[in-house]
Amino acid sequence: MADPDSETPARDDDSDRERHPLAMETLVALCAARGFIYPASEIYGGIAGFWDYGPLGVELKNNLKAFWWRRMVRERDDVVGIDSAIISHPRTWEASGHVEGFSDPMVDCRTCKRRFRADQIEGERCPEAPKKRAVAECDLTEAREFNLMLRTELGASVDEATTAYLRPETCQPIFTGFKRVREAARQKVPFGIAQIGKAFRNEITPRNFTFRSREFEQAEMEFFCHPSESGEWFAHWREQRLQFHRDLGFAEDLLRTRPHAPDELAHYARAADDIEFLFPFGWQEIEGVHDRGDWDLSRHSEYSGKELAVTDERTKERFTPCVIETSVGIDRTTLALLVAAYRQETLENGEERTVLGFHPALAPIKAAVLPLSKKLAEPARAIQRELRRHFNVFYDDAGNIGRRYRRQDEAGTPYCITVDFESGDDGHVTVRERDTMDQKRIPIEGLERYLRDLLEDDR
Ligand code: ATP
């Protein structure tokens, strides 16, 4: 749930900023220009808290999701995946506590008609008030609870309408489907259920690019275990999840874990650690690992009247499983990938280049085929046709070769394949590596094998 301290200056100090010279405006502009991420409904001026992923962005995000799915589901015998509906039975959100408690205290300014989180207000003054406005002219309301769930109506006519909610987190359908999935997948506790999907929150102050959006994606895994083992599983999952972020290529000095203080914990939670990333706007949460006790299954059992306890086959003990949750934001992690990958370099000849140094497995485009001249389009296209059966391969024959390399550096493409006038005679092409800019002649016949070895994901 919303952590009112998440954007306090204490975790956003200047020393961190100095280590992070990348300005968000630079990244936001690059993302829009190159088609990673741009404002939703841009031609209407955008809509706050909503973003669209363009041709490069969707590939990057899909690669991230595929890596999560591989790690969390495919490589484990004790975790299975689902893909649930976005809208759940409204009772779900009563049981989960969201109808009653998923809120931030908000203050309205009657003068400027804007709404703020209560923790962003100092004294009686509206944060948006011009300096010369007297405090007395700021007409602030008392703090009021504002529910963050987005509502919608179901039914053919307004009279029959039933209020439903777009899910504010993806995990609740995992709890409501617990019995069905356990039986269908023939799993025994301890085991986990994972899913990736959209979540919606009516954030009052969407900001920091995609970091705090109103529509976003989460990748969540709920691991069900015996209460006596939850401490062990919590430690296991915290380590697994930290390793995942290291494997994305995040350097140690960009990552840290932050245990929640007892007064920060949700009332049902027994322990919670945030995994934080150093963004240009400070240290911020990208993932939460939570020990939720047996609260979720107990509540859904109570509200649905369905038995969700299990029996330990060995001891015949009947118990309600405890839950360790790992919950990572796909959009926040994609943003972290962009931040970590971005670098600006000055080459020996004085030229500048911008590089997105993604891990090759995450790069949106794996290789670009670049004929030196349009006259070489035919053999170059043939190479692309062959390679694109295996990898995402881009073709570009427009403009001088240096500029085409720069464009691929900016897109984070790890390999450029140049087809030249000798290629037809000697059957070789030049492969240029993004980071070192080293170039090698490689036989066209062995190209797929060569790239496969380079791109092999050995994480
Ligand atoms: P915050 O305190 O930053 O609002 P939270 O503690 O409410 O986050 P959780 O409810 O634990 O977040 O959600 C798990 C993950 O979902 C977060 O770590 C984050 O990556 C992602 N997430 C949550 N809210 C948003 C949002 N508004 N926009 C983008 N991602 C989000």
Side-chain angles (χ1 to χ4, degrees):
M1 285 212 195
D3 160 17
D5 284 340
S6 66
E7 283 166 45
T8 53
R11 284 194 269 143
D12 190 6
D13 56 55
D14 289 342
S15 59
D16 291 341
R17 257 194 214 145
E18 270 163 33
R19 287 160 56 200
H20 234 291
L22 168 63
M24 280 307 286
E25 303 82 72
T26 311
L27 188 65
V28 171
L30 176 77
C31 282
R34 294 311 317 269
F36 278 96
I37 307 171
Y38 49 90
S41 314
E42 197 173 10
I43 60 168
Y44 290 103
I47 167 165
F50 296 89
W51 298 92
D52 289 347
Y53 286 73
L56 293 179
V58 66
E59 295 286 345
L60 178 63
K61 193 156 77 134
N62 282 345
N63 292 341
L64 170 63
K65 289 192 281 186
F67 181 47
W68 186 89
W69 195 262
R70 188 186 111 195
R71 265 295 149 80
M72 299 297 283
V73 183
R74 261 180 30 214
E75 289 179 357
R76 296 193 65 119
D77 289 327
D78 58 355
V79 178
V80 293
I82 64 163
D83 181 20
S84 74
I86 283 176
I87 293 185
S88 303
H89 191 289
R91 290 276 284 167
T92 308
W93 306 109
E94 289 170 28
S96 69
H98 283 81
V99 171
E100 202 185 333
F102 190 56
S103 56
D104 276 344
M106 304 301 303
V107 171
D108 289 321
C109 174
R110 295 190 188 95
T111 313
C112 70
K113 311 273 182 269
R114 292 194 54 182
R115 179 170 279 175
F116 305 95
R117 278 186 12 196
D119 64 320
Q120 292 170 346
I121 301 218
E122 282 173 28
E124 301 283 297
R125 199 177 164 75
C126 164
E128 293 289 308
K131 288 240 161 28
K132 56 182 185 318
R133 191 200 287 168
V135 172
E137 287 174 46
C138 291
D139 189 2
L140 300 180
T141 64
E142 291 292 304
R144 293 182 288 214
E145 293 297 319
F146 180 88
N147 197 296
L148 296 180
M149 280 200 294
L150 278 148
R151 286 158 181 262
T152 186
E153 255 95 56
L154 305 178
S157 73
V158 177
D159 301 345
E160 292 166 23
T162 308
T163 300
Y165 302 96
L166 305 189
R167 62 184 182 201
E169 57 186 24
T170 57
C171 59
Q172 293 304 326
I174 293 181
F175 301 131
T176 55
F178 165 72
K179 188 168 185 290
R180 162 72 67 197
V181 176
R182 181 175 61 81
E183 287 169 4
R186 302 172 62 80
Q187 286 283 349
K188 290 192 185 75
V189 172
F191 82 102
I193 305 177
Q195 85 162 324
I196 301 176
K198 292 271 189 178
F200 303 81
R201 296 183 189 178
N202 198 5
E203 298 279 2
I204 306 308
T205 45
R207 61 169 144 173
N208 287 333
F209 198 19
T210 55
F211 179 83
R212 187 173 300 289
S213 323
R214 289 176 166 150
E215 174 177 341
F216 53 97
E217 260 180 302
Q218 290 183 315
E220 296 195 296
M221 192 279 311
E222 310 299 320
F223 196 81
F224 302 91
C225 64
H226 190 277
S228 65
E229 294 178 347
S230 63
E232 252 167 78
W233 282 113
F234 179 75
H236 169 84
W237 282 111
R238 190 186 41 203
E239 187 45 40
Q240 290 288 311
R241 298 306 306 149
L242 202 53
Q243 188 57 41
F244 174 88
H245 293 285
R246 293 185 190 117
D247 288 344
L248 291 178
F250 297 151
E252 289 293 336
D253 63 350
L254 293 178
L255 278 179
R256 72 179 188 192
T257 52
R258 193 184 68 84
H260 281 206
D263 62 347
E264 262 185 289
L265 289 175
H267 64 89
Y268 51 81
R270 300 202 291 198
D273 268 23
D274 286 347
I275 298 177
E276 297 189 334
F277 179 85
L278 181 56
F279 287 97
F281 42 88
W283 285 102
Q284 296 287 348
E285 170 186 341
I286 50 177
E287 171 149 10
V289 181
H290 305 136
D291 178 344
R292 301 171 62 108
D294 66 4
W295 198 76
D296 305 286
L297 291 187
S298 300
R299 288 279 286 196
H300 284 298
S301 189
E302 181 190 334
Y303 276 68
S304 67
K306 300 283 183 318
E307 173 71 279
L308 297 176
V310 297
T311 306
D312 183 316
E313 281 180 9
R314 215 167 29 85
T315 62
K316 303 291 172 236
E317 180 201 357
R318 197 88 184 127
F319 66 96
T320 301
C322 282
V323 168
I324 306 300
E325 170 181 83
T326 73
S327 173
V328 63
I330 293 296
D331 307 82
R332 284 189 189 177
T333 309
T334 303
L335 182 57
L337 284 171
L338 287 159
V339 167
Y342 183 94
R343 63 177 195 267
Q344 187 88 40
E345 290 176 355
T346 308
L347 304 180
E348 272 168 22
N349 63 7
E351 250 184 74
E352 295 269 318
R353 73 165 186 158
T354 301
V355 185
L356 290 180
F358 301 121
H359 188 296
L362 292 161
I365 299 169
K366 307 299 181 202
V369 179
L370 314 173
L372 265 193
S373 147
K374 284 198 162 84
K375 291 185 190 126
L376 296 164
E378 205 181 301
R381 281 285 189 194
I383 291 173
Q384 185 209 19
R385 251 195 320 276
E386 173 56 30
L387 292 179
R388 68 176 8 167
R389 293 169 46 223
H390 311 278
F391 323 106
N392 190 22
V393 177
F394 187 75
Y395 176 88
D396 185 9
D397 63 12
N400 83 45
I401 189 73
R403 284 199 33 209
R404 280 184 275 162
Y405 284 152
R406 292 297 97 80
R407 285 181 60 76
Q408 292 309 314
D409 291 342
E410 256 181 20
T413 306
Y415 302 103
C416 286
I417 299 162
T418 313
V419 181
D420 55 35
F421 288 99
E422 267 100 76
S423 300
D425 301 328
D426 70 0
H428 280 60
V429 287
T430 304
V431 177
R432 169 193 181 267
E433 201 271 333
R434 175 194 65 203
D435 298 329
T436 57
M437 294 185 288
D438 285 348
Q439 305 200 2
K440 272 202 186 115
R441 293 292 282 174
I442 303 293
I444 295 169
E445 270 193 8
L447 199 51
E448 188 236 311
R449 177 82 253 169
Y450 179 77
L451 286 177
R452 187 175 291 287
D453 286 348
L454 289 173
L455 290 165
E456 195 185 15
D457 194 356
D458 52 8
R459 292 168 303 178

